[in-house]
Amino acid sequence: MMEGTDHDEVSSMEQTRAKVKRAVQYWLDKSTIHPVQRWIAFVAILALFFLRIYLVQGYFIVAYGLGIFLLNNFIAFLSPLEDPTDSLGGDDGPSLPTTQSEGKEYKPFTRRLPEFKFWLTCFRGTLISFFMTFFGIFDVPVFWPILVMYFGVLFFMTMKRQIQHMYKHKYVPFSFGKSKYSNAGVESGAFGGGMSGAGRKGN
């Protein structure tokens, strides 16, 4: 009797966990076409985190760690998937154009860290850091101006190196003027937009 009850409890917990996971994944999939709203939510949770730091006047080491984490992800977001430096070293494979003749052929910029994964990673990291501020074990005494100064120097040196890398290999990690579709992500008809569109073609 006890073994059967324990098995049922474990099975129920697994089903609940699976339902929560599916629900989270569903809303993440729905949010992919709403980048502005996603980044507003990230800014809101980041502001809430720093407000928490200001009110308690502690957890500066957590804030510093979060800053380093966000900086590393930002650099990955700005970096190409294929490093031109590796390509110049003799490795085969596609690379960014480094000369005018190579630049005549259009090669889209592929990020090392795509925009959605960049947002999701930063959002999760900030949310975890926020919850860490409720546990005294993470409140390590530290002289916070030193951390701010060190982070400023690290940010300046890292961005300088990244900009030099972009200038040397002649790539821009941002694109402008992309085509936008007003009905993107809007489902219509009994089977969604795709079947609805197919039905219109048949008429």
Side-chain angles (χ1 to χ4, degrees):
M1 291 292 293
M2 293 297 295
E3 293 181 358
T5 303
D6 294 341
H7 179 73
D8 293 340
E9 290 179 356
V10 172
S11 178
S12 178
M13 290 177 60
E14 291 179 352
Q15 291 178 0
T16 303
R17 188 182 301 116
K19 289 180 180 179
V20 171
K21 187 176 181 180
R22 284 197 300 268
V24 171
Q25 189 60 47
Y26 170 80
W27 288 109
L28 286 176
D29 293 341
K30 294 285 286 185
S31 69
T32 54
I33 60 174
H34 302 290
V36 176
Q37 290 84 345
R38 285 191 282 106
W39 284 106
I40 289 176
F42 167 72
V43 172
I45 190 66
L46 186 63
L48 191 62
F49 169 77
F50 281 110
L51 178 62
R52 168 72 177 167
I53 296 295
Y54 174 76
L55 292 177
V56 301
Q57 288 296 302
Y59 300 96
F60 300 114
I61 195 68
V62 176
Y64 175 75
L66 177 61
I68 297 297
F69 177 77
L70 296 179
L71 178 60
N72 288 335
N73 281 278
F74 184 58
I75 294 301
F77 175 71
L78 296 179
S79 302
L81 180 63
E82 298 286 343
D83 193 343
T85 304
D86 297 337
S87 299
L88 292 175
D91 296 336
D92 296 331
S95 62
L96 296 174
T98 57
T99 63
Q100 184 176 1
S101 59
E102 292 178 354
K104 291 180 180 179
E105 181 182 357
Y106 174 72
K107 295 181 180 180
F109 181 82
T110 304
R111 303 180 186 279
R112 185 190 307 172
L113 184 64
E115 183 272 334
F116 181 78
K117 288 186 177 180
F118 174 48
W119 168 81
L120 183 59
T121 304
C122 293
F123 189 88
R124 283 177 176 173
T126 306
L127 191 62
I128 292 173
S129 299
F130 177 75
F131 283 115
M132 288 173 65
T133 61
F134 291 93
F135 299 93
I137 191 174
F138 299 110
D139 189 10
V140 180
V142 65
F143 188 56
W144 66 266
I146 295 295
L147 294 181
V148 174
M149 183 179 64
Y150 184 71
F151 179 78
V153 172
L154 183 63
F155 178 83
F156 175 77
M157 297 300 296
T158 303
M159 292 305 301
K160 179 181 178 182
R161 183 176 58 185
Q162 184 65 27
I163 293 173
Q164 288 176 344
H165 188 272
M166 293 163 54
Y167 180 78
K168 177 181 179 181
H169 298 287
K170 299 179 175 60
Y171 69 91
V172 179
F174 302 102
S175 59
F176 303 95
K178 283 187 175 182
S179 300
K180 296 182 179 180
Y181 303 93
S182 58
N183 293 327
V186 178
E187 299 180 356
S188 60
F191 300 97
M195 295 299 294
S196 178
R200 287 195 296 270
K201 290 182 179 180
N203 292 336

